[in-house]
Amino acid sequence: MMEAVRILVIDDEEGMRLGCRKVLERRGFEVKTAADGAEGLSLLRSGGIDLALVDYKLPDRDGMSILDEVRSEGLDVPCIMITAYATLESAVAATKKGAYDFLAKPFTPAELNAAVDKAVEYIRLQREAKRLKEEKKRVRLEFVRIVSHELKAPLATIEGYLTNLLEGYAGDDPEAWRRILERCKLRAEGMRKLIEDLLDLTRIESGSKESRPEEMDLAALLDDIVEVFEPQAERKKVVVEKEYRPPIPMFADVGELRIVFTNLVSNAIKYNREGGKVTVKAAREGDEVTVEVSDTGIGIREEDRKKLFTEFFRARTPETRNIPGSGLGLAIVRKLVELGGGRIEVESEYGKGTTFRVTLPARREG
C-alpha cells in the first residue's frame, strides 16, 4: 500500500485554497495551504510535502520563481502550475522550469483529480525506484559481506597452517607436512569453486551469458559426468547407478547442462552416507526430457527446502558441518534450468535421502 501523499496548495485566492483542500481531503490526501510565495516556499523547505499546486500569479512573486527555487534547491517535489493566464507560451515556460503539469483555471473537481492522480502515479513510481535502488544497494553490500566471510575463513585457515610450518610446529615429520598441505589445498579448492560459482552467477544475472544450443546426446553427457565423479564415489563407497537408455537426443546448451547435472551428481555423492547409493535416471517423453538424481543421503529438513535455491544458503546440521560448499551451486542450477525453459523440483525426507527432478524442453529455441 502506498504511503500517504501530502499536498501543498499555494494560491492567494482563499476560495481556491479551500476548494482544493475540500476535494483532495475527501480522497484521503493530507493538504496544507499557503496564501503567498514566501509561506509556500517555507513549507516546501521544511519538508514533508510530496506535491505542490502552485498559482502562476501570487502577491509577492510569480509561480515561475517558485519553480526556480524548487529546482535550484534540489527539492524533490513535483509541481503543478495552476493559472487563469493559460497560454501555450506560459505552459512551455513552466515545463522548462520543471513544472510536472499545467492546470488552467477555472477547473472542475474532476480535472483537479485527474491532474493530481497523474502526479501521484509519478510519485509512486519515483518512490518504487528509490526503494529498489536502496534494496539493490543493501543486497550488494550483503553480497560483499557474505563473499568476504566465505573467503576470509579458508584464508585464515591456510594462513594458520602455513604459519605452523614456518614456525616449525609441524616438526620434521614429512607425513605431518603432507597432511597440513593437503588441508591447505582443500581450502584453496573451496575458494576456487566459490569464485567460479560467483562468475557463473554474475554472467547469468547480468544477461551476458550467451546460450549456444546444439544437437546433443544427453545420455552421453550424463555418462561423462558420472565417470568424472567415480573416484569421489569410490572414496565414500557410494554406488552410482545409471537408469537410462542412450541415445537421448536434445537440442540444448551442453555447457549449461553440464553445470546443472555436475552440481546435482556432486551433491548426491557429497551429501550421501558412506556405503550409500546414487541413482541417475533420464528419459525423453514427447517434447520433454526428465532427469532425476536421487541419493540415500542425509536428506533435507522441511524448513530448509524453502531456502534451498537461495544464494549462499547452506543447511546447518551436524551432518553438513564438515562438508565444503559455496552455497551457490543450487542457485545456479535453478537459474540455468529456468533459462533453458525448464523447471526443477525436489523431494526429500530428512535422514533418508533426496531426489532432484529436472524437466527441460527437448528442443530449446535460440
Side-chain angles (χ1 to χ4, degrees):
M1 186 174 179
M2 184 174 171
E3 298 173 14
V5 174
R6 296 152 297 190
I7 300 176
L8 172 63
V9 180
I10 307 174
D11 198 295
D12 59 332
E13 296 179 35
E14 183 178 11
M16 180 61 66
R17 296 195 303 274
L18 293 176
C20 288
R21 166 173 266 169
K22 182 178 180 181
V23 170
L24 296 173
E25 284 185 339
R26 189 182 299 151
R27 298 188 57 204
F29 294 111
E30 297 178 23
V31 181
K32 292 183 178 181
T33 61
D36 56 44
E39 184 184 5
L41 280 170
S42 176
L43 288 170
L44 285 169
R45 289 170 179 144
S46 66
I49 301 298
D50 301 306
L51 173 64
L53 304 179
V54 183
D55 189 17
Y56 187 77
K57 293 288 186 181
L58 294 165
D60 56 342
R61 69 187 69 204
D62 62 33
M64 294 294 190
S65 67
I66 293 179
L67 293 179
D68 285 334
E69 296 282 350
V70 168
R71 185 164 59 176
S72 66
E73 295 181 24
L75 301 176
D76 188 18
V77 181
C79 297
I80 298 174
M81 184 67 72
I82 53 178
T83 180
Y85 305 94
T87 64
L88 179 60
E89 290 76 12
S90 59
V92 170
T95 301
K96 286 182 177 179
K97 289 181 178 290
Y100 177 75
D101 205 351
F102 198 83
L103 191 58
K105 292 180 181 179
F107 47 80
T108 66
E111 290 170 331
L112 172 62
N113 284 329
V116 168
D117 284 345
K118 187 165 67 170
V120 167
E121 176 62 13
Y122 170 77
I123 293 168
R124 185 191 69 77
L125 293 173
Q126 291 294 100
R127 286 179 177 177
E128 181 65 12
K130 183 179 179 182
R131 185 191 68 76
L132 290 173
K133 184 178 180 181
E134 290 173 350
E135 177 66 10
K136 185 178 180 180
K137 181 180 178 182
R138 186 195 67 77
V139 169
R140 186 168 61 248
L141 291 173
E142 179 67 7
F143 182 80
V144 171
R145 184 191 69 79
I146 293 172
V147 171
S148 299
H149 172 77
E150 293 293 330
L151 289 174
K152 193 187 326 183
L155 277 173
T157 302
I158 292 172
E159 184 180 21
Y161 283 141
L162 294 178
T163 299
N164 286 340
L165 288 179
L166 291 171
E167 297 294 332
Y169 296 132
D172 297 324
D173 182 2
E175 184 61 25
W177 281 61
R178 188 183 65 80
R179 285 196 300 271
I180 288 175
L181 292 174
E182 282 180 348
R183 289 169 183 166
C184 289
K185 182 173 181 289
L186 185 65
R187 298 301 188 279
E189 286 173 351
M191 288 191 292
R192 178 180 55 78
K193 179 66 166 60
L194 173 60
I195 292 168
E196 288 174 353
D197 286 347
L198 284 170
L199 290 173
D200 283 337
L201 192 64
T202 301
R203 281 192 288 265
I204 295 166
E205 294 195 331
S206 67
S208 63
K209 186 183 186 312
E210 293 183 13
S211 295
R212 295 183 174 87
E214 59 184 282
E215 299 292 346
M216 59 164 292
D217 178 9
L218 178 62
L221 175 63
L222 294 175
D223 283 342
D224 185 41
I225 291 170
V226 169
E227 183 180 349
V228 168
F229 286 101
E230 279 178 355
Q232 181 181 330
E234 288 173 3
R235 284 195 295 270
K236 288 192 74 169
K237 297 182 175 60
V238 171
V239 176
V240 181
E241 294 184 351
K242 300 183 290 186
E243 296 185 9
Y244 49 83
R245 185 177 301 172
I248 304 176
M250 288 185 72
F251 184 72
D253 188 306
V254 178
E256 290 178 3
L257 295 191
R258 184 178 294 277
I259 292 172
V260 169
F261 297 118
T262 293
N263 268 283
L264 295 182
V265 173
S266 172
N267 284 350
I269 297 170
K270 187 164 61 173
Y271 292 97
N272 217 317
R273 304 179 186 282
E274 188 167 325
K277 185 173 76 169
V278 171
T279 305
V280 181
K281 298 180 181 179
R284 174 170 175 168
E285 294 184 8
D287 295 332
E288 288 188 332
V289 171
T290 301
V291 179
E292 289 186 2
V293 180
S294 304
D295 64 64
T296 57
I298 58 180
I300 305 163
R301 296 177 300 188
E302 185 176 354
E303 61 268 29
D304 289 334
R305 288 203 293 273
K306 300 172 184 175
K307 299 174 281 187
L308 197 58
F309 297 101
T310 305
E311 293 160 20
F312 294 106
F313 173 74
R314 298 196 67 217
R316 303 296 180 184
T317 67
E319 297 89 347
T320 63
R321 186 181 296 116
N322 297 316
I323 300 176
S326 67
L328 289 172
L330 288 178
I332 292 170
V333 165
R334 184 177 68 172
K335 289 178 187 296
L336 286 175
V337 168
E338 292 177 350
L339 189 66
R343 60 187 183 276
I344 183 167
E345 304 162 282
V346 59
E347 296 175 4
S348 186
E349 187 174 349
Y350 187 51
K352 292 190 176 181
T354 302
T355 296
F356 284 92
R357 184 179 301 106
V358 175
T359 305
L360 293 161
R363 295 196 65 82
R364 176 174 174 179
E365 297 300 324

